[in-house]
Amino acid sequence: MRSNRRFRKRIPLSDAERRKRKREIILIFVLIAVIALLTFAETRLIFFGEEFPVSNTILMFILINVNLLLLILLIFLVFMLAGFIWSLRDPERRLRWHSVLLKVPKLNHWLKLAVFSDWCRSMALLLSSQVPAVHAMKIANAGVSNLALRETLNKATRRVQEGETIHSALSEQSHIPGFMLHLIGSGE
């Protein structure tokens, strides 16, 4: 993969895209400068007792309340995340969550690739160590962290235990990538 990065051509940006990026960068720096100045002005107002125009006072009031609102929102999100993680301790909820993850369009592809590449590595190691295929599948299935995919692989394991080939048992399951099926089929 690294060699592909060297040969990849960089597509030059058009003048309009360059101007747009420059405007975005300038806008970000201006926003940072305004927030920094208003924060400094707020401390001057508190510590030095100086009077400011109404427009500055309104901007500082908005900035103070936005910071407070963002802090409250952050605390709320932390509690929601902690509650969500705590609720995943229940196996049924975790299975539903893993099923939802498999339905997310771009994430499901990468999730399946990661899980099945680990599963195939475990199977290869176990089979090369002369572990029987059914036992190797059970051991490799135990290492799958996604419960929905683990259930899929457990169904295939039961079918292999009943006498089917690994390829035919896996091909009837819905989440198995096609290239993996072809490799397993040619290996059998």
Side-chain angles (χ1 to χ4, degrees):
M1 287 247 191
R2 286 188 182 155
S3 61
N4 290 342
R5 291 182 188 160
R6 283 187 283 161
F7 297 114
R8 209 180 320 158
K9 291 183 179 179
R10 288 189 151 215
I11 300 172
L13 296 175
S14 67
D15 289 336
E17 290 173 339
R18 255 191 234 121
R19 284 192 298 266
K20 182 180 176 185
R21 284 199 178 168
K22 284 181 183 178
R23 281 193 302 255
E24 290 171 350
I25 291 170
I26 290 171
L27 179 66
I28 289 170
F29 281 120
V30 167
L31 286 174
I32 290 171
V34 167
I35 290 172
L37 287 173
L38 286 176
T39 304
F40 174 70
E42 176 191 345
T43 58
R44 283 184 50 203
L45 178 67
I46 291 172
F47 291 111
F48 300 118
E50 296 180 13
E51 292 295 325
F52 285 102
V54 176
S55 61
N56 288 12
T57 308
I58 291 171
L59 281 173
M60 287 187 300
F61 178 76
I62 291 171
L63 181 67
I64 291 169
N65 289 328
V66 165
N67 286 341
L68 180 63
L69 180 65
L70 288 175
L71 179 65
I72 291 170
L73 182 65
L74 179 68
I75 291 170
F76 176 74
L77 288 175
V78 166
F79 278 111
M80 289 293 291
L81 181 65
F84 177 73
I85 291 171
W86 184 77
S87 71
L88 287 181
R89 291 172 41 182
D90 179 30
E92 291 177 17
R93 284 188 183 149
R94 188 180 313 155
L95 177 64
R96 277 186 289 175
W97 173 246
H98 288 169
S99 298
V100 167
L101 286 178
L102 290 175
K103 293 176 185 173
V104 176
K106 296 289 182 184
L107 180 66
N108 67 356
H109 175 71
W110 294 106
L111 183 65
K112 288 177 189 178
L113 284 179
V115 167
F116 287 122
S117 66
D118 290 343
W119 185 82
C120 285
R121 264 189 240 110
S122 299
M123 283 291 292
L125 179 69
L126 291 166
L127 292 174
S128 67
S129 300
Q130 304 300 316
V131 176
V134 174
H135 294 297
M137 287 181 76
K138 286 180 182 179
I139 294 169
N141 294 353
V144 174
S145 60
N146 188 303
L147 295 182
L149 292 177
R150 185 187 301 170
E151 184 59 35
T152 300
L153 291 169
N154 285 338
K155 288 177 188 174
T157 303
R158 284 191 290 275
R159 298 192 66 151
V160 169
Q161 208 168 10
E162 293 169 359
E164 284 190 42
T165 64
I166 296 174
H167 176 264
S168 63
L170 288 174
S171 64
E172 294 179 7
Q173 304 303 321
S174 60
H175 297 297
I176 312 296
F179 70 92
M180 187 178 106
L181 289 174
H182 291 298
L183 289 174
I184 290 173
S186 65
E188 280 185 322

